[in-house]
Amino acid sequence: MPGGSIGAAGVPKERAEEYKGRVTGYVIIACVVAAVGGSLFGYDIGISGGVTSMDGFLEKFFPAVYRNKKHAHENNYCKYNNQKLAAFTSSLYLAGLVSSLVASPITRRFGRRGSIICGGICFMIGAALDASAVNIVMLILGRIMLGFGIGFGNQAVPLYLSEMAPTHLRGGLNMMFQLATTLGIFTANMINYGTEKIRPWGWRLSLGLAAVPAILMTIGGILLPETPNSLIERGYQEKGKKVLEKIRGTSDVHAELEDIIDASELANSIEHPFRNILEKRNRPQLVMAIFMPTFQILTGINSILFYAPVLFQSIGFGGNASLYSSALTGAVLASSTFISIATVDKWGRRVLLISGGIQMVVCQVIVAVILGLKFGSDKELSKSYSILVVVVICLFVTAFGWSWGPLGWTVPSEIFPLEIRSAGQSITVAVNLFFTFIIGQSFLSLLCAFKFGIFLFFAGWITIMTIFVYFFLPETKGVPIEEMIFLWKKHWFWKRIVFR
């Protein structure tokens, strides 16, 4: 704390104005390579929805769904409502939840690179099992291994990006993770569009190609430098200093190095990070680690992305048209992420989150009204209304792509002090994957029960999260990662709760 001994944040005073350095090609390359880990998450989200709408896949593993699909009315909301089919999609996220908690001590003890490598290897094994699956057990086992890979990758990569990036560009570089995720989704959608024509085994190719980003992530983890924060925390102070000088492009890194050393000294005094994170002084960060990923999933985005082909078929699109429409939403999501990368360190996190939330609410309500009035068990959407639904969903995806998509990962990864950073990120990932699992497992049933009301359900949650950001999230733009504690001391609400 200012003028005193080392406090809760591990740094005695604010040194942000003393930070030196520039953006180096070295740090950009490191961040780009590391961010490939996000493509694992994105590829799986995109590939799952396409594969679960392919006849060859359904006929082999889910014959009941296949028969229902063939005999149900084309725009029946409930024809894909099958818990085993939902389990295929959502089992991965339950496995990821467990592995993200296991990844925390590994990331802290062996570095960020160790978890990145573990994630890549697990994902390769999962891709091989799914591509060669001969029964449902083998298929689900492959999904579980993919989940382990995602748990490790999502735990380590955002931390790696936040610690490597210079303060004034941390938001943009951290969003490389989300950009890789969206490009993974788009790539998966395009692959599904092609493999759907390769019958009856095209689904195997879709699932097997998940090994490509996994190989890139593993090689990247081997070749990348460790972050200076992790090196110093583990006792390699001189090596950490050299890495810091290299990524900042200057030998004058004294101020930032001192912040990292102060933070690491406190970090090494903490034996149980998960116990420490529950202390009152860490309450704001814990709240954000729980609510930010929860809200990100409750936007309904994952439902739209990994069930897009199913969703579009359910509201009247043909098979090929539905895959094409979902590929379009994937492309929109990827391109909209660039808006966030370009503006997040200029406009700040709060502006993007609030504006994105407002646009998403409007889009969800419009889709609900159109489907409620113009679509039902005895109605079909006209071509013009079908196009309008796709356009509005694309506007929804665009808003998510510049707001809650990237910032749902960026904000939690940058707010924790070093001593609980790995534990905090594990909680973020675990909460994200838990709610992804819940929504993934229940979405087809919710769609069947709520019909068009499912969009109003998500709109209500987006309204709540937008209000939450307005009142409780301070602006983190331009604040050094080891000095975030000072934000909570100045915030109108958190200073009363934590520091009174």
Side-chain angles (χ1 to χ4, degrees), residues 171 193 238 401 406 430 463 471 496:
Y193 187 65
E238 192 58 35
T463 302
F471 285 106
R496 301 178 193 175

Side-chain angles (χ1 to χ4, degrees), residues 94 141 157 167 376 420 428:
L94 193 60
L141 182 61
V157 172
T167 298
I420 55 170
T428 298

Side-chain angles (χ1 to χ4, degrees), residues 264-381:
S264 67
E265 288 176 355
L266 180 59
N268 289 325
S269 71
I270 303 298
E271 294 183 11
H272 305 288
F274 280 102
R275 188 183 303 168
N276 186 261
I277 205 172
L278 297 175
E279 293 184 3
K280 187 176 181 181
R281 59 191 172 91
N282 294 316
R283 195 65 46 77
Q285 297 95 318
L286 178 61
V287 169
M288 294 302 161
I290 294 172
F291 279 83
M292 292 297 288
T294 299
F295 287 151
Q296 185 192 52
I297 301 306
L298 289 176
T299 59
I301 188 67
N302 280 13
S303 303
I304 288 175
L305 292 177
F306 59 57
Y307 286 124
V310 171
L311 182 63
F312 284 126
Q313 282 193 17
S314 293
I315 61 175
F317 289 79
N320 287 339
S322 70
L323 284 171
Y324 183 79
S325 298
S326 61
L328 175 62
T329 58
V332 168
L333 180 61
S335 59
S336 64
T337 306
F338 286 102
I339 299 173
S340 193
I341 292 174
T343 59
V344 66
D345 290 308
K346 182 179 180 182
W347 296 347
R349 284 64 161 157
R350 283 169 50 85
V351 169
L352 296 181
L353 286 168
I354 293 170
S355 62
I358 293 171
Q359 181 168 323
M360 284 191 288
V361 169
V362 172
C363 290
Q364 294 274 32
V365 171
I366 291 174
V367 171
V369 170
I370 292 173
L371 296 183
L373 296 177
K374 299 296 181 180
F375 175 76
S377 59
D378 58 344
K379 302 178 185 176
E380 289 189 8
L381 278 181

Side-chain angles (χ1 to χ4, degrees), residues 126-257:
L129 285 171
D130 274 352
S132 59
V134 295
N135 54 48
I136 190 68
V137 174
M138 192 172 175
L139 190 71
I140 297 297
L141 182 61
R143 296 289 292 174
I144 291 172
M145 290 304 299
L146 292 175
F148 288 157
I150 284 177
F152 275 97
N154 286 14
Q155 204 276 344
V157 172
L159 286 187
Y160 186 93
L161 296 173
S162 285
E163 292 179 347
M164 290 292 281
T167 298
H168 66 289
L169 288 178
R170 187 180 60 244
L173 288 177
N174 193 289
M175 284 178 184
M176 292 293 181
F177 178 79
Q178 175 67 10
L179 178 61
T181 300
T182 59
L183 290 175
I185 293 169
F186 175 66
T187 301
N189 285 332
M190 296 309 296
I191 288 173
N192 280 337
Y193 187 65
T195 58
E196 194 272 337
K197 299 177 176 64
I198 306 174
R199 299 174 182 174
W201 56 271
W203 61 270
R204 293 189 184 274
L205 186 59
S206 289
L207 296 176
L209 286 175
V212 174
I215 291 170
L216 293 176
M217 177 175 166
T218 305
I219 294 173
I222 294 170
L223 298 178
L224 288 173
E226 187 55 84
T227 71
N229 310 64
S230 178
L231 287 169
I232 293 170
E233 182 184 12
R234 292 183 288 133
Y236 302 105
Q237 187 167 319
E238 192 58 35
K239 191 173 181 180
K241 180 182 177 183
K242 289 180 180 178
V243 172
L244 186 61
E245 290 174 349
K246 192 168 185 179
I247 63 177
R248 298 295 178 255
T250 178
S251 59
D252 187 7
V253 294
H254 176 76
E256 186 171 1
L257 182 64

